Amino acid sequence: MEKLLAARLHAVKVRPYLAGALFALHVVEDRSVPTMAVDAHWRCYVSSGFVARTPVEELAGVWVHEVSHLLRDHHGRGERYAREYGERGPGERLRRNIAADFEINDDIYGDGLPLPAGAVLPSLLRLPDGLLMEEYLRRASMSGLAAEVAWLDCGSGADGQHRSWELGPDGAHGLSKQQRDAVRFRVAEGIKGRPGDAPEGWRRWADEAFHPSQPWRQLLGAAVRSAVSASGPGEDHSYRRPSRRSAAVPGVLLPSLRRTPPRVCVVIDTSRSVSDAELGSALLEVAAISRSVGGRRDLVSVISCDAAAGVAVPLCRAESIELVGGGGTDLRSGFARALRSRPRPDVIVALTDGQTPWPSAQPSCRTVVGLFPRPASAADEQNPEYAPDAPPPWARVVTIG
Amino acid sequence: MTSSTLLPGTDTQLVVAEDLLDLLRTTTTELRPDEQLEALTLAVAADLPVLLWGEPGIGKTAALTQLAASLNLPLKTVIASVHEPTDFSGLPIVGDDPTVQGVPMAPPQWAVELVRAGKGLLFLDELSTATPAVQAALLRVVLERRVGALQLPPGVRIVAAANPRASAADGWELSPPLANRFVHLYWVHDREVVVRGLGGIWPRAELPRLVPERLAEAVAYARRAVCGFLEARPTLIHRLPSTETRRGGAWPSPRSWEAALTLLAFGTAASASREVLALLVRGAVGDGPGLELLAHLDRMELPDPESLLADPASAELPERGDLRQAALEAVVAAVGARPRRARWEAAWAVLVRALETGAPDLLVAPATALAALRRDDWEVPEALDRLAGVIGLVRLADQSVGRVAAAADAGRTTGAPR
């Protein structure tokens, strides 16, 4: 027991941001556990034999490994995956455990934590590092590996399947769902508060722990839809045709709600930093959305824009729009061109990687920016001080991809 | 004639079908704790508009029917997406002399019926597929409880339902002002409940009861919690959602904090579990601020450091490791704030007590901090001997950290792979 707790201190010392989670775990000694395992209620089951034959520094790594299963909600995610793909059974359980271990092991070791003997790494299956559990599950069969690591068992905290030694939801010292969320939240906030201390993988986890990223298609759709449909453009009360309710109230002239189909102008950044595949899918998406809100295809026009803006091309005449350009970007000319076109667009959708100057004033119509994310290292080599401006606050920004 | 020969046959067939349907509809209920239903009931009791988010066909309407029946309220369902803005703002009616009497805005039938009943549950379904103009008109119904010229009586409670963006194929999203007026509850189905329900046994939740004797205490507790928290975190008082993913959900504003305060008071008066409180608070002010408020509640429940110092021998420390450490750190901080020799020694006694009742590695950080508070003329208390095991633990951990660092150094100098 002393050795185990010394290992926890070691882990807290080299990973201070995980201290709250490590101390929240309740230790249960049990002979039937193969090594160390956690359940979904934040109990940590330990075999005393395993502790006796493992050095303290390796035990510290196991502590961090087990708490990572819980922090990253592998049991919940594993169950969701199993529901979605209908894959159950003991083989599947092991597969999920291995995939979860891959997700953890490729980024928690090193820097004061040695890799414990027998830890599985994605390189065993020639898989790249840095993927999520679900991606590992989709990519690899893991059937060859299963025989070698059949002893491996991190408990229901890793895959959501109940084990014989576990105390279950009614046992003592378990954390309720709310308490688990609170612990995870505090760890995430701690990492976000002092981002310098934590490696990339943990920072990414902290950012997404409580706000998982949503598919960009839905976000872009919602942004375009609300821009197109907000009262103002597209829809207004009109006296040109009386309301159908006028028949019920003789003597009163009621306006009816008329819709004029929204005009959408898509400004596309065709500088070489944006790939054709990215652009193609985003453009199709915008066209589909504007059709679904009652727009006609000929009301969607496209302007390709690098340093200078091209001509607005109606989408109906350009089944495969030739995207010209390739140099640097200046989206300001694209915006100016879009606003000059007659009739004026109700909404401008700019698809860009953001490496561009932005208009200084808010354009006179609603703006949605579809942003292709670029790593920060893509900055100008000649001028390391250069950082592209973030999209202006008046635009609704959706990160694509 | 075919029709006359068929009719009696169809008739009996329909009667048989009716019997079969009766059999299918005969189900029993069992008592089963249901946190989301409990949360919904409390929010409805607190007269805050509730928005149920859930996939279509998940049983939101069924839950509402059960709630209305158990609260003895008539249920009025209005599908928001098939109405026009004027259905919520009132329809103009011409009287005898419009120039003298004006044109009154007549409310729709459902509103009149609710007013006549004096109480009821107004269920606005499909809110997220209502157009922005309808949503704007609904703002007034939800906030001011006015439909046209008609004021809904205080006995009317409002619940809305919406499909999450992922499943609403061509839905509109909720505007932030409308979203801020609701308590957002995410409705999920429990596999076990569904299977048992289809087998004929549906769950029946025990509805929370407000205890009259606890009302004053509940209000005081809720006020202390929310005010104390917002004093410490003033930036959370108002934070408009900025990112695309959080729009249309719960977000903190003075209005939603007031809702959170009300819900806390109702939850406390009904002795609701922390789980239910969490659903409600997170639904009112959003996940992040809600979780922080709950963490604040946790800290409020930690034993008072002064009373621990006053009687270390019988100190009751929290069972959970991270909370226990927080309580011990609070004790050390209290000594640091008013350093006296007697208090310093009492703090050591608290640590010894913690050692006797729980894991020793939690003591390392508080003990180090407490040792640093020592003044030159203070002698090391006898109790410290009993913490020797902790020091041994620290030594073990330090050695192990040192070994890893040395191995890493050696690896670097020899160029061996790490």
Side-chain angles (χ1 to χ4, degrees), chain A residues 64-270:
Chain A
V64 174
H65 175 100
E66 297 298 340
V67 88
S68 302
H69 278 307
L70 297 176
L71 285 172
R72 298 180 187 196
D73 192 26
H74 280 153
H75 52 97
R77 286 163 55 195
E79 276 297 284
R80 273 199 292 283
Y81 184 90
R83 254 207 309 277
E84 207 167 308
Y85 294 89
E87 291 168 348
R88 297 197 170 271
E92 263 314 298
R93 178 203 70 68
L94 187 61
R95 228 166 71 81
R96 286 210 297 274
N97 199 151
I98 295 173
D101 280 3
F102 280 174
E103 179 191 307
I104 293 175
N105 288 348
D106 60 9
D107 61 4
I108 64 164
Y109 294 114
D111 198 17
L113 274 188
L115 186 74
V120 289
L121 286 173
S123 52
L124 279 177
L125 291 177
R126 296 193 190 80
L127 289 170
D129 279 2
L131 299 185
L132 295 177
M133 175 179 102
E134 290 82 355
E135 293 170 308
Y136 284 125
L137 274 172
R138 271 196 288 275
R139 281 200 184 199
S141 74
M142 294 175 203
S143 51
L145 199 59
E148 297 167 42
V149 291
W151 56 268
L152 173 140
D153 196 340
C154 294
S156 69
D159 52 32
Q161 213 116 45
H162 185 80
R163 304 291 199 283
S164 56
W165 61 77
E166 288 178 355
L167 301 176
D170 301 327
H173 302 301
L175 263 62
S176 69
K177 180 173 181 309
Q178 220 50 61
Q179 290 168 326
R180 305 194 294 258
D181 273 1
V183 173
R184 293 174 60 224
F185 180 77
R186 250 170 293 161
V187 172
E189 288 297 297
I191 292 174
K192 276 195 260 184
R194 279 172 302 150
D197 299 349
E200 177 65 27
W202 277 114
R203 282 201 304 246
R204 197 181 56 200
W205 169 80
D207 281 340
E208 293 188 354
F210 283 91
H211 295 285
S213 53
Q214 282 202 13
W216 63 267
R217 273 166 222 279
Q218 283 156 20
L219 292 177
L220 186 67
V224 172
R225 212 176 281 133
S226 81
V228 164
S229 61
S231 43
E235 152 175 273
D236 208 352
H237 288 89
S238 154
Y239 285 92
R240 269 194 304 198
R241 201 181 289 177
S243 165
R244 62 186 168 87
R245 287 186 162 145
S246 291
V249 269
V252 173
L253 197 57
L254 291 176
S256 61
L257 195 63
R258 307 308 305 170
R259 282 190 67 85
T260 40
R263 268 178 258 277
V264 178
C265 186
V266 188
V267 179
I268 293 184
D269 177 350
T270 49

Side-chain angles (χ1 to χ4, degrees), chain B residues 83-109:
Chain B
H83 283 268
E84 292 188 7
T86 41
D87 291 339
F88 299 104
S89 55
L91 302 155
I93 299 290
V94 181
D96 293 339
D97 193 351
T99 49
V100 179
Q101 290 169 346
V103 178
M105 303 295 269
Q109 191 200 359

Side-chain angles (χ1 to χ4, degrees), chain B residues 7 12 37 43 45-46 61 81 86 111 213 233 240 243 247 268 287 335-336 349 365 374 409:
Chain B
L7 260 177
T12 48
L37 195 57
T61 314
S81 56
T86 41
E213 297 80 49
R233 298 296 311 273
L240 201 71
T243 57
R247 294 175 72 97
T268 313
D287 271 343
V335 174
R374 191 174 88 94
D409 276 345

Side-chain angles (χ1 to χ4, degrees), chain B residues 45-61:
Chain B
D47 198 12
L48 291 167
V50 182
L51 180 53
L52 303 180
W53 289 95
E55 309 287 331
I58 207 162
K60 298 185 292 261
T61 314

Side-chain angles (χ1 to χ4, degrees), chain B residues 309-327:
Chain B
L309 286 172
D311 186 10
S314 58
E316 289 275 348
L317 290 162
E319 202 62 52
R320 226 174 86 197
D322 52 338
L323 295 182
R324 172 174 281 239
Q325 198 184 34

Side-chain angles (χ1 to χ4, degrees), chain A residues 220 266-275 278-280 282-283 286 303-306 327-332 334-335 348-359 367-374 386 388-392 394-401:
Chain A
L220 186 67
V266 188
V267 179
I268 293 184
D269 177 350
T270 49
S271 62
R272 69 209 137 154
S273 45
V274 181
S275 85
E278 284 177 328
L279 278 180
L283 186 55
V286 173
I303 294 176
S304 54
C305 170
D306 48 7
T329 325
D330 189 348
L331 270 189
R332 287 176 300 192
F335 271 95
I348 294 180
V349 179
L351 301 174
T352 174
D353 60 357
Q355 320 266 344
T356 169
W358 296 94
T367 310
V368 175
V369 173
L371 200 63
F372 301 104
R374 289 289 173 267
Y386 168 80
D389 288 339
W394 38 257
R396 293 187 62 167
V397 182
V398 175
T399 306
I400 294 178

